Each structure stands twice: as C-alpha cells, then as structure tokens.
C-alpha cells in the first residue's frame, strides 16, 4: 500500500507550508488524483485519517479531486475513449495521455488565530 | 481575528501550491539517471508479479552471448536475499535491497544500494523491483526503460486489471511461453489485444527462460537500447559527491 508513503510525503509538504505561519492550523487540504496516477483514492483517504494525527493537519478536511483519464491522438487531436486500442483509428499514431496521471497537492487553507 | 467586520471568526489563509507528491522521489531518480547517462550504463527497471519469472529472465540473460557484457543487478524483496544470491550464482554481481514492509523500490533505496557497488563499470544494470503489479509503477528510479515481465499463467486480462503498470512499460516480456501447450484456454491474441488497450505503442516479446525461445530477440532489444544511450564518456571513475537536501 504505497498510498501511506504518499500521504506521509503530502503531510511533509503541508507541514513545510504551515511552518511559515506560526500558530496556524490546517483546515483544508486539496489533492488532485488522476485515474491513471496509480493511486487508490479510498486507500489514500484512509491513510490520511491515520497519518494526520498529531500533525498540524490533525483537524484538516481532505478534499480529493479525481481526474478521469483522457487519451488523444498527438497528430490530429482525435479523442480515443479509454478501453479502446490506444492508436488513432485515422492516423495510426500511438495515443497520448492528455489527462489522468496527476498526483498533486493543489491548495491548502490555514486558520490563523 | 477577522478585522473586516469584527465577527470574531479566525482568518482563513488560502495557499495555492500545485506540488507533485512524487517530487522528492523524482528528484533523486533524476540524479540516478544523470549518473547512468554520464557513465553509459543502461539501467532497466524490471517489474512484474511475484513468480512471473523476472529473476529467471535475468539468469537466462547471463547465460546468453550478452553474458560477455558486464551486468550488475540490484534486487528488491520484502525479505530474504534469495534473488540476489541466484543472480550472483548466474554471474551477475548483485545486491539485495530488503524493503521490509515497502511494496516497491524507490529512487532513494536504489541510490543507497548503488553506493555499495562499482555500478559505473557496468554495461547493463538490472533493477529487479519487488514483485507487484501496482505500487512499483509510479516510482521513477532513474532507469532508461521499464520492462514488465508477464507470465502466460497469469491470465490474458492482467493488463486491463493493472493498466498503470502496462501504460508505463516500454517493453512487455511474456514469459514461460513454453507452458502454452499445457494451457488450452490461454490465448496470446487476447493478451496482445489487452496490451494494445493499455499501452499506446505496445512492444512485446514472447520468451522462455527454460527453452531459450525469444532470448535472442530480448538480447537484440537490450543491445538496441544500449545503442540509444547518448554518447557515453566512460573515462575515469565515479567521483564521491554530495546529494543536497537528501
């Protein structure tokens, strides 16, 4: 379950950002996860519940934005539905993954007292 | 406190970030890749299920004419150094990376293992990953290419079930092809169709480490991959160096 090590990396980034605001607590953590990122969203959320304890994000809400995979021909830009053979029916070019491999910490909200 | 209206609410400070959760791994992987390129070492990340035949493929490589090249390996498992011992017995100088509970290798584990070997003398470095079709896929190790070993006994739909692993593969080695006569329900055409739906430019070799079938094509693929490495400068030794914030 590599989701746990990804969450630890997430919490390191969060702590580094929060450190610039002494006394602040993290209210919201927004993460973008693509369908082809190789991450099980439910396991990521469970790992976050466990790992956030005793961190600056202990009270934070985790908001996960899921991005569907989108494939297209790099030559003619024709969209190729997921599950189809990944070559352009017109040009024969190998399809390109346009979206869906994202794995990003996007945004935080800190509460400053 | 809210200074605007005096409502008593705490201030919320939004911070826009857009930071990859794999950034640190990718930085160390880039460092590994720089070293491999500088010294003309072809590094390959060998992935696949437990028991798919990763180690057997490397043993067959050592027995082939390519065995004349200097081949090194690092081999990841949760426990034991059995694979590294098998590879050493086959003539491939090897180090075990025992990951404990970790289900994949990462760039830092590989980098630490490399510090124990004269890797820069190698023509070819096999990084044999932990047997797993899920977690290893997303961790860049600094390799030149990903090779996924898939045995014919695993089922033709494995690529559809584990699409990320196969999307990232530069080459799929279909292994244990000598068992096909005993597997009447296994269809290689269904397997190739599943690969075409998960890999944009599928490159597939059918291999048996037992009979040697397909090993010649595998060696040709390795030699072509070596030839694609940018002009290596093999003079001098690998210098001790620091790694910034690692």
């Amino acid at each position: 379950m590599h989701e746990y090590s990804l969450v630890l990396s997430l919490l390191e980034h969060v702590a580094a950002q929060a450190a610039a605001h002494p006394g602040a607590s993290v209210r919201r953590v927004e993460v973008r996860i693509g369908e082809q990122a190789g991450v099980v969203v439910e396991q990521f959320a469970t790992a976050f519940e466990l790992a956030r304890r005793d961190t600056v994000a202990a009270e934070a809400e985790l908001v996960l934005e899921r991005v569907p995979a989108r494939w297209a021909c790099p030559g003619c830009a024709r969209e190729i539905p997921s599950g189809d053979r990944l070559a352009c029916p017109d040009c024969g070019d190998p399809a390109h993954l346009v979206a869906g491999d994202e794995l990003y910490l996007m945004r935080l909200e800190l509460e400053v007292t | 406190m809210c200074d605007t209206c005096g409502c008593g609410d705490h201030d919320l400070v939004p911070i826009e970030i857009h930071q990859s959760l794999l950034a640190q791994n990718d930085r160390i992987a880039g460092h590994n890749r720089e070293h491999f390129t500088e010294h003309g070492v072809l590094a390959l990340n060998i992935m696949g299920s437990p028991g798919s035949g990763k180690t057997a493929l490397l043993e067959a490589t050592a027995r082939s004419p390519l065995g004349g090249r200097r081949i090194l390996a690092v081999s990841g498992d949760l426990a034991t150094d059995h694979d590294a011992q098998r590879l050493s017995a086959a003539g491939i100088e090897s180090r075990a990376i025992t990951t404990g509970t970790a289900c994949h290798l990462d760039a830092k584990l590989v980098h630490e293992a490399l510090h124990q070997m004269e890797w820069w003398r190698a023509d070819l470095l096999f990084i044999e990953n932990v047997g797993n079709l899920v977690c290893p896929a997303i961790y860049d190790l600094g390799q030149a290419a990903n090779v996924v070993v898939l045995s014919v006994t695993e089922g033709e739909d494995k690529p559809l079930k584990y699409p990320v692993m196969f999307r990232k593969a530069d080459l799929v080695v279909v292994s244990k092809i000598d068992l096909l006569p005993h597997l009447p329900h296994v269809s290689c055409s269904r397997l190739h169709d599943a690969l075409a739906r998960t890999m944009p430019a599928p490159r597939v070799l059918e291999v048996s480490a037992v009979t040697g079938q397909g090993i010649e094509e595998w060696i040709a693929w390795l030699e072509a991959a070596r030839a694609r490495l940018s002009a290596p400068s093999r003079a001098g030794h690998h210098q001790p160096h620091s790694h910034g914030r690692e």
Side-chain angles (χ1 to χ4, degrees):
Chain A
M1 181 166 137
H2 59 295
E3 284 78 5
Y4 194 82
S5 54
L6 291 172
V7 162
L8 294 182
S9 159
L10 168 67
L11 288 170
E12 277 178 28
H13 290 308
V14 170
Q17 292 289 339
H21 301 268
S25 66
V26 182
R27 305 306 303 177
R28 187 178 166 97
V29 177
E30 297 180 19
V31 175
R32 180 177 291 173
I33 300 182
E35 185 185 344
Q36 284 268 333
V39 172
V40 180
V41 170
E42 293 74 15
Q43 289 191 357
F44 192 90
T46 304
F48 184 80
E49 288 302 312
L50 291 171
R52 67 176 175 165
R53 288 174 195 165
D54 302 322
T55 74
V56 71
E59 302 293 324
E61 176 192 14
L62 176 67
V63 179
L64 297 176
E65 178 197 353
R66 305 167 83 150
V67 183
R70 277 181 48 228
W71 294 89
C73 172
C76 69
R78 176 178 170 155
E79 285 247 355
I80 296 163
S82 284
D84 280 14
R85 295 169 77 92
L86 295 175
C88 179
D90 297 330
C91 323
D93 286 350
H96 175 67
L97 186 69
V98 182
D101 65 346
E102 301 84 353
L103 185 53
Y104 291 114
L105 167 59
M106 296 302 293
R107 189 172 177 276
L108 292 178
E109 276 180 17
L110 304 184
E111 186 176 272
V112 183
T113 52
Chain B
M1 297 282 261
C2 166
D3 297 327
T4 313
C5 64
C7 64
D9 279 353
H10 296 299
D11 280 344
L12 285 181
V13 179
I15 306 176
E16 306 295 331
I17 298 173
H18 206 280
Q19 165 85 54
S20 166
L21 298 188
L22 291 166
Q24 188 178 0
N25 180 77
D26 291 351
R27 188 177 55 79
I28 302 172
H31 174 87
N32 291 348
R33 183 169 289 112
E34 242 172 66
H35 282 335
F36 297 144
T37 306
E38 177 191 357
H39 291 273
V41 176
L42 176 66
L44 298 174
N45 183 10
I46 312 288
M47 297 181 281
S49 306
S52 58
K54 296 181 291 299
T55 312
L57 176 68
L58 305 190
E59 289 172 321
T61 310
R63 289 194 299 269
S64 77
L66 195 85
R69 299 268 191 200
R70 182 156 178 153
I71 309 177
L72 267 62
V74 293
S75 192
D77 267 310
L78 271 65
T80 84
D81 61 353
H82 291 176
D83 285 356
Q85 284 184 31
R86 275 176 64 183
L87 293 174
S88 296
I92 298 178
E93 185 190 331
S94 303
R95 289 285 178 285
I97 302 177
T98 308
T99 60
T101 56
C103 47
H104 58 272
L105 294 180
D106 62 29
K108 188 163 184 277
L109 285 170
V110 170
H111 187 262
E112 286 165 358
L114 292 175
H115 275 190
Q116 302 168 37
M117 346 174 53
E118 295 189 341
W119 59 269
W120 58 92
R121 296 183 186 278
D123 297 310
L124 190 56
L125 172 72
F126 289 123
I127 305 167
E128 187 185 342
N129 219 308
V130 178
N132 181 338
L133 280 179
V134 185
C135 314
I138 66 168
Y139 289 89
D140 185 9
L141 306 178
Q143 72 278 1
N146 284 329
V147 177
V148 176
V149 180
L150 174 67
S151 61
V152 291
T153 54
E154 289 173 61
E156 309 98 318
D157 57 351
K158 277 291 173 296
L160 302 175
K161 291 178 173 172
Y162 301 92
V164 178
M165 172 62 75
F166 289 91
R167 173 170 68 80
K168 300 247 181 176
D170 296 289
L171 175 72
V172 171
V173 173
V174 178
S175 63
K176 309 187 189 179
I177 200 81
D178 53 298
L179 294 180
L180 268 187
H182 307 288
L183 303 166
H185 302 297
V186 172
S187 149
C188 274
S189 65
R190 276 204 299 272
L191 173 59
H192 284 270
D193 182 69
L195 289 169
R197 292 171 196 277
T198 44
M199 295 171 75
R203 180 89 179 88
V204 185
L205 296 176
E206 296 179 357
V207 165
S208 165
V210 174
T211 66
Q213 181 185 341
I215 292 295
E216 205 175 307
E217 289 80 2
W218 160 241
I219 300 308
W221 185 89
L222 290 172
E223 290 288 15
R226 258 185 61 74
R228 281 195 299 273
L229 286 178
S230 54
S233 124
R234 298 183 63 86
H237 290 285
H238 180 60
Q239 299 298 320
H241 56 277
S242 68
H243 298 110
R245 296 187 296 113
E246 275 163 41

